[in-house]
Amino acid sequence: MKPDISGIIEGIKRLTPKKRVRIMEVCGTHTVAIAKSGIKDILPEEIKLVSGPGCPVCVTPQEYIDRAIWLSKQKDIIITTFGDLMRVPGTEESLSSAKAEGADIRVLYSPAGAVEIARENPSKTVVFLAVGFETTIPTITGTLEIAIREKIKNLFILCAHKIVPPALEVLASSEDLMIDGFILPGHVSAVIGIRPYEFLSRIHRKACAISGFEPYQILEAIFLILRQISGNQFRIANPYNSTVDYEGNTKAQKSISRFFIPSDSVWRGIGNIPSSGLALREEFSYFDIGTRISFPDIQSREPKGCRCGDVLKGIIEPSECPLFGKVCTYENPVGACMVSSEGSCAAYYRYRKKL
Amino acid sequence: MCLGIPMRVTEINENKAICEQSGTRVEAYIDMLDDVRIGDYVLIHAGFAIKKLSEEDATETIRLLSEVLSQDTR
Ligand code: SF4
């Protein structure tokens, strides 16, 4: 039996304290669901929802995009990628415009499609742009496993994977942000389970709940977070137990650690976060395109005036960026947060009438 | 990008499964899961099944909610 939505809203009202409560929705898909459903309109004004850095495309640094574009222009290279990356503006142009100029760039639904392309094009170097969080990483390692099994030698990755808990550590420790609770990402958690978040409640005393993507599930998470705050007892609540359990998907976790070791990683807007990225292990480094081709020095620059960094940290709302809706629109995006369908700026822009 | 779709497994051929949901059929790799059977619900993301799903159990929220709602308003 599902809890009744008007009951949840009443529960939220009763538990709302007089002081301001700041709750961060970490995941970009939550940001979109919140904007689309108009949840902010029905919450008591003391409850402030803050968007977090959970849009993998948005946090991928400019330098990565520039490298991918540079690669796409080299001889005998086929770039394969998730569609989300295509329109992200690099310093000079985007993958999309590089493709229009003739670069061989192919958008895939699954990274496994890159194995097929590599098999059909034995004389070409096929590169998959490996971005994404823990939800996506097992689909990359699964693809590498298939490539090994099928003895494919011309498939490589340009890796910018990121893992979520180390970024949460930075956000939870930030004194400027003053986050009281986190709505945790449902499908990242399906893979990693609950354990990796426990430091948030134990050490940082943050109220947390893992949430699915339906509006009632987000409200349910907010209720469970407020309940912890009112009782002054913190934990990782998991109302999304159809999909998330304590251990997560251990087989996927093993596959990830078979191929990768944690490494430092730069997040757009946040900077370098220790152990928040992944690097291929020595024995699998032959999949790294960097071992086959050496990149030139590319001078990457962020788009002028874009405040994606502050948006990603939850310091400002998209509408507080001077370019929002004027120079920067969903049709003509300036920054990554407006490009990706789950970027905060795009979510605010597309559903702003409801906000 | 971190969104999976819950689907029902209707066919298994070695490491691939045909999965269905509201009339949509996709083929997905099941390498990342142990012991997938026909009829199981799985979460599909980028061509891979990444988690087996179980039945939703909302008991805890319902209990906490009735606790909060039965208290007198502030
Ligand atoms: S509105 Fe556009 S320019 Fe401003 S922060 Fe968002 S993406 Fe960047």
Side-chain angles (χ1 to χ4, degrees):
Chain A
M1 197 175 75
K2 273 186 201 167
D4 152 61
I5 193 155
S6 55
I8 300 175
I9 295 170
E10 180 57 28
I12 288 176
K13 289 192 175 139
R14 291 210 187 177
L15 289 177
T16 299
K18 295 238 155 38
K19 64 166 183 83
R20 188 151 259 229
V21 181
R22 285 168 61 84
I23 299 175
M24 177 176 272
E25 89 271 2
V26 176
C27 170
T29 314
H30 282 150
T31 303
V32 173
I34 289 166
K36 201 168 164 180
S37 62
I39 282 181
K40 286 188 180 175
D41 295 340
I42 55 166
L43 290 177
E45 61 178 46
E46 290 84 357
I47 300 178
K48 173 98 180 110
L49 293 182
V50 183
S51 303
C55 156
V57 170
C58 306
V59 295
T60 300
Q62 201 73 349
E63 196 189 20
Y64 179 91
I65 308 289
D66 287 339
R67 283 187 164 196
I69 294 168
W70 179 84
L71 262 181
S72 76
K73 299 193 164 175
Q74 306 311 302
K75 209 169 156 274
D76 292 330
I77 288 218
I78 301 175
I79 299 286
T80 54
T81 177
F82 290 122
D84 310 47
L85 277 175
M86 291 298 285
R87 288 167 70 225
V88 179
T91 302
E92 302 291 346
E93 58 176 328
S94 65
L95 285 163
S96 213
S97 55
K99 185 180 165 84
E101 286 159 23
D104 192 346
I105 303 174
R106 306 187 192 181
V107 172
L108 302 181
Y109 155 69
S110 171
V115 174
E116 200 67 28
I117 293 174
R119 194 189 301 111
E120 286 164 6
N121 297 278
S123 62
K124 301 272 172 101
T125 298
V126 177
V127 183
F128 188 80
L129 302 182
V131 298
F133 297 149
E134 290 94 327
T135 322
T136 309
I137 301 167
T139 73
I140 306 291
T141 60
T143 298
L144 299 182
E145 284 175 15
I146 297 167
I148 293 173
R149 234 174 14 236
E150 301 193 7
K151 303 195 167 54
I152 301 284
K153 304 279 183 220
N154 57 330
L155 177 65
F156 300 84
I157 60 171
L158 181 63
C159 181
H161 285 310
K162 302 217 174 329
I163 47 182
V164 170
L168 293 178
E169 163 97 70
V170 172
L171 298 166
S173 316
S174 158
E175 285 178 10
D176 302 338
L177 267 179
M178 297 181 303
I179 301 292
D180 301 294
F182 289 99
I183 300 173
L184 296 170
H187 293 171
V188 162
S189 310
V191 172
I192 68 175
I194 294 173
R195 193 199 308 265
Y197 299 121
E198 284 178 334
F199 72 96
L200 287 170
S201 49
R202 286 217 186 116
I203 300 172
H204 296 282
R205 297 177 56 76
K206 303 294 178 199
C208 299
I210 295 171
S211 179
F213 301 94
E214 296 295 330
Y216 87 89
Q217 292 172 316
I218 296 172
L219 288 168
E220 191 181 358
I222 294 170
F223 167 75
L224 292 169
I225 286 169
L226 292 173
R227 174 66 221 236
Q228 293 173 45
I229 293 171
S230 72
N232 204 27
Q233 277 188 340
F234 305 101
R235 65 193 179 100
I236 314 297
N238 178 28
Y240 195 38
N241 50 22
S242 62
T243 309
V244 177
D245 53 32
Y246 188 73
E247 296 295 337
N249 180 346
T250 48
K251 195 170 182 190
Q253 293 162 16
K254 278 194 197 118
S255 176
I256 296 173
S257 47
R258 176 180 174 215
F259 285 96
F260 291 111
I261 43 167
S263 70
D264 288 3
S265 184
V266 174
W267 296 55
R268 190 195 293 265
I270 301 179
N272 184 49
I273 305 178
S275 302
S276 70
L278 294 175
L280 282 160
R281 287 182 183 277
E282 185 81 51
E283 62 266 40
F284 295 111
S285 60
Y286 59 85
F287 279 120
D288 179 357
I289 187 64
T291 59
R292 176 163 177 125
I293 292 178
S294 47
F295 287 93
D297 231 355
I298 302 173
Q299 295 299 322
S300 295
R301 268 175 290 107
E302 299 291 335
K304 228 173 152 191
C306 171
R307 298 193 58 194
C308 268
D310 291 336
V311 170
L312 288 164
K313 275 185 291 197
I315 288 177
I316 62 164
E317 287 203 349
S319 51
E320 292 173 67
C321 166
L323 306 189
F324 179 83
K326 301 187 185 90
V327 183
C328 180
T329 62
Y330 193 62
E331 296 73 34
N332 278 305
V334 172
C337 303
M338 185 63 94
V339 172
S340 171
S341 57
E342 66 206 33
S344 301
C345 298
Y348 275 61
Y349 185 78
R350 290 164 79 196
Y351 304 110
R352 68 193 148 162
K353 282 184 200 75
K354 291 202 172 158
L355 291 174
Chain B
M1 225 184 115
C2 292
L3 191 62
I5 317 250
M7 294 188 119
R8 194 168 150 270
V9 175
T10 56
E11 247 179 86
I12 295 174
N13 307 306
E14 289 173 33
N15 64 336
K16 287 184 191 171
I18 304 288
C19 304
E20 284 188 16
Q21 167 69 17
S22 327
T24 310
R25 276 164 67 96
V26 301
E27 191 180 46
Y29 287 96
I30 50 173
D31 303 51
M32 288 298 145
L33 297 177
D34 283 321
D35 196 24
V36 179
R37 295 180 192 186
I38 290 171
D40 284 349
Y41 279 85
V42 293
L43 191 66
I44 305 289
H45 174 71
F48 284 78
I50 55 165
K51 186 78 171 93
K52 251 214 271 205
L53 306 179
S54 58
E55 219 152 276
E56 187 172 77
D57 173 13
T59 342
E60 198 200 3
T61 308
I62 291 171
R63 181 176 57 78
L64 292 172
L65 204 52
S66 66
E67 216 177 277
V68 169
L69 296 181
S70 65
Q71 282 159 14
D72 289 336
T73 13
R74 294 174 287 143

